[in-house]
């Protein structure tokens, strides 16, 4: 019998792809591909980063011969970018020690040409998907990057003093709003242009409207930089997981002059991508305010005229059940143009993530990876005239790197893509933990809205060698217990892709139901808005309906149903606990009291939006909850309203560094239950109320230490309260417990 620790540690040896690119020195018959990967290091509690080269040789064959090089650790590399010619590479490096040091390196043909230490002029580099910038100009003479500028410093141990109205203030202690969850301490990124011949540096830091730049790219003539401007005024709202923020596209000359707003008619614009000939730039735009995740529209700018137009508009609902539901994209791939008029991106499409071809002239959308051929999920990494690089996985097969060969049909202006597997990160020891299970997508649940779908995973269905696998699992029994897992957001969604947590639960003998309730992305904008004002009711009832439907199919043990979920999914789980029939529940950073969350979150707008209450980010309320009716509506939709009814054994997992949902939300729930347990002198399962806090971990609990240990705790807790209680099995299962 396997334990959560054994399964997780084995699965942790499987690397994940973070980036891939076809290098400029490739030929028609031989592709040189640089791949970046990440892997959990459970000994050091860090994510190890490494790269390797893959050579794909076609040699007159449609299926390439693949040669894989050795992996090279890139642990202190923050970002790297290859010049358009492929002859130069810039590396941003931060070296830890008694004092962290920062370097910019220029490499050529495997050796270092220049090293510039930049520790004295800035703090961290920005290399994330939201702000991160590291770009070569087309002339190879300039680099753009995003740095965290140091505060001004003077005498007295580098403290700057101001005398204002007779009072002495230290600037060191002045409050500065940062960008919230995952960006704690990230205040004022500075856009920097560097000439690599002279090492002259120009800081473009005088940007109007108190905005922060990000995702900068050079114009086609390299004389200016185009970037996304994230607006701060009048209030900074946490930007992670949120596409509805006030943003715009701006252009500024490399000498810092002539700042221009390119998208004045739009309140939201991000992710600029310039086509190869510099005539057209595409970008994404979402509706501001309202749901933080929504259908996007793809827009374009005619560079010569500055005219802004829509390429693919918002989609209210798909024309058919399997029709195009609209674009649900956080950021566009950096390299996405296959011609001057066509791009490739990936997008949520119901319970999958699929590859799309978009013609920016006609607005036509073609799905390149239909579900019959690719039932799992694709993520676009790179696209060029003839090639596409993607990752592909299913719930029961880990990530593979795929190469797509583009075959254009000039007669009907469509293309076909022939995919080959370049490599699969094979770890032989891990195969028994994912190859023996099965999965399916369950829809059309009686009495429910049509877009309710479930990713349904069943343990050991493909284990033909061991027909007793379920009975011998950690939870045993003739039928598996069922774990209901809603997603967070609430406007996000599950995709049919590999998940370590789900695979751990399957290996212990659980069936898993990942619920895309009404309000999930990938089903059109009407589906998003259908949940607004009905959180705590519609989403909760649909999860309950999923439970009842799966029980009615006779494949799971109806007496062993449990719950887990994080953030808004924790909110749903807490609501479901009004029903005492659930055997156990684990909540990760749950929302338990919406009005109480308002003053301790980086995303106060969320509390209004999910309840269908007006909130304007351009003119936020001066005093939150000044209206008693607003408070009442928020409170009535909160699970804290019925915490006294809960009797199910519960474990709460919190990150002390969570900026999105304050740990105080989970602590308040735990304390309320403790008070009831003490007051009523409860015993047995009704008195099981546990909580763990992971120091410094954020909302996703995704640091290696928090992820691994929270997974051990979650899985062990569910096993403890759902295993079949035969004396032999109880003794064996003691190995699963960490409490």
């Amino acid at each position: 019998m396997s334990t959560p620790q054994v399964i997780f540690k084995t699965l942790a040896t499987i690397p994940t792809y973070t980036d891939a690119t076809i290098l400029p020195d490739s030929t028609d018959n031989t592709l040189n591909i640089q791949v970046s990967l990440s892997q959990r290091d459970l000994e050091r509690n860090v994510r190890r980063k490494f790269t390797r080269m893959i050579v794909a040789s076609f040699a007159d064959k449609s299926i390439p011969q693949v040669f894989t090089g050795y992996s090279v650790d890139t642990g202190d590399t923050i970002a790297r970018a290859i010049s358009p010619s492929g002859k130069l590479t810039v590396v941003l490096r931060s070296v830890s020690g008694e004092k962290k040091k920062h370097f910019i390196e220029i490499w050529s043909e495997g050796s270092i040409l220049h090293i510039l230490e930049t520790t004295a002029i800035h703090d961290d580099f920005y290399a994330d998907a939201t702000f991160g910038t590291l770009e070569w100009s087309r002339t190879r003479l300039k680099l753009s990057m995003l740095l965290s500028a140091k505060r001004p410093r003077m005498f007295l141990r580098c403290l700057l003093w101001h005398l204002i109205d007779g009072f002495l203030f230290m600037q060191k202690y002045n409050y500065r709003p940062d960008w919230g969850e995952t960006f704690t301490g990230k205040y004022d990124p500075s856009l920097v242009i560097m000439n690599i011949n002279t090492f002259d540096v120009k800081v473009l830091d005088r940007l109007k409207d108190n905005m922060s730049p990000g995702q900068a790219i050079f114009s086609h003539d390299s004389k200016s930089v185009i970037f996304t401007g994230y607006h701060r005024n009048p209030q900074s709202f946490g930007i992670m997981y949120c596409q509805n923020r006030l943003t715009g596209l701006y252009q500024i000359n490399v000498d810092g002059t002539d700042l221009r707003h390119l998208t004045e008619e739009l309140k939201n614009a991000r992710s600029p991508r310039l086509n190869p000939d510099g005539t057209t730039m595409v970008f994404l735009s979402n509706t501001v305010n309202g749901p933080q995740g929504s259908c996007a529209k793809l827009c374009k700018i005619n560079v010569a005229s500055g005219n802004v137009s829509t390429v693919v508009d918002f989609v209210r609902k798909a024309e058919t059940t399997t029709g195009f539901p609209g674009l649900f994209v956080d950021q566009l791939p950096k390299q996405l143009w296959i011609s001057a008029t066509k791009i490739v991106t990936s997008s949520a499409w119901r319970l999958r993530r699929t590859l799309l071809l978009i013609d920016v002239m006609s607005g036509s959308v073609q799905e390149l990876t239909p579900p019959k051929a690719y039932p799992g999920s694709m993520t676009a990494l790179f696209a060029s005239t003839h090639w596409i690089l993607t990752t592909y996985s299913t719930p029961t097969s880990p990530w593979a790197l795929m190469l797509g060969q583009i075959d254009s049909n000039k007669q009907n202006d469509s293309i076909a893509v022939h995919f080959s597997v370049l490599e699969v990160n094979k770890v032989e020891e891990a195969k028994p933990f994912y190859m023996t299970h099965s999965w399916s997508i369950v829809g059309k649940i009686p009495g429910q809205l049509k877009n309710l779908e479930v990713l349904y995973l069943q343990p050991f269905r493909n284990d033909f060698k061991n027909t007793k696998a379920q009975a011998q699992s950690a939870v045993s029994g003739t039928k598996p217990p069922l774990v209901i897992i809603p997603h967070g957001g609430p406007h996000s969604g599950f995709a049919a892709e590999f998940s370590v947590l789900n695979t751990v639960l399957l290996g212990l003998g659980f069936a898993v139901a990942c619920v895309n309730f009404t309000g999930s992305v990938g089903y059109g904008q009407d589906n998003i808005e259908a949940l607004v004002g009905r959180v705590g009711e519609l989403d909760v009832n649909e999860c309950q309906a999923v439970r009842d439907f799966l029980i009615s199919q006779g494949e799971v043990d109806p007496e062993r149903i449990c719950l887990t979920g994080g953030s808004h999914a924790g909110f749903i789980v807490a609501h479901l606990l009004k029903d005492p029939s659930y055997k156990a529940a684990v909540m990760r950073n749950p929302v338990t009291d919406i009005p109480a969350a308002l003053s301790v979150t980086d995303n106060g707008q969320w509390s209004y939006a999910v309840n269908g209450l007006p909130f304007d980010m351009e003119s936020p309320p001066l005093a939150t909850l000044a209206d008693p009716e607003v408070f009442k509506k928020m409170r009535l939709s909160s699970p804290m309203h019925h915490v006294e009814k809960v009797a199910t054994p519960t474990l709460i997992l919190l990150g002390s560094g969570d900026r999105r949902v304050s740990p105080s939300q989970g602590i308040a729930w735990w304390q309320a239950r403790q008070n009831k347990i003490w007051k009523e002198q409860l015993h047995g399962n009704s008195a099981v109320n546990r909580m763990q806090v992971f120091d410094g971990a954020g909302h996703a609990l995704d640091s290696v230490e928090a992820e691994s240990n929270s997974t051990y705790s979650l899985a062990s807790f569910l096993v403890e309260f759902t295993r079949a209680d035969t004396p032999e099995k109880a003794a064996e299962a003691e190995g699963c417990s960490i409490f």
Side-chain angles (χ1 to χ4, degrees), residues 1-2 7 396 431-439 457-481 502-512 560 729:
M1 180 188 70
S2 298
I7 302 173
T396 55
K431 285 184 177 180
F433 294 120
Y434 60 79
M435 293 185 68
T436 59
H437 312 305
S438 67
W439 67 279
L457 306 146
Q458 295 176 279
F460 313 122
R461 284 301 182 95
N462 294 329
D463 192 352
F464 304 112
K465 294 181 180 180
N466 185 3
T467 57
K468 297 181 179 179
Q470 181 65 48
Q472 295 172 350
S473 70
V475 294
S476 71
T478 57
K479 294 181 181 180
N502 289 347
T503 308
V504 169
L505 294 173
L506 287 166
L508 297 171
F510 291 96
V512 176
R560 296 193 292 167
K729 188 55 61 179

Side-chain angles (χ1 to χ4, degrees), residues 373-385:
Y374 303 97
S377 290
M378 285 268 192
T379 299
L381 300 177
F382 172 93
S384 64
T385 305

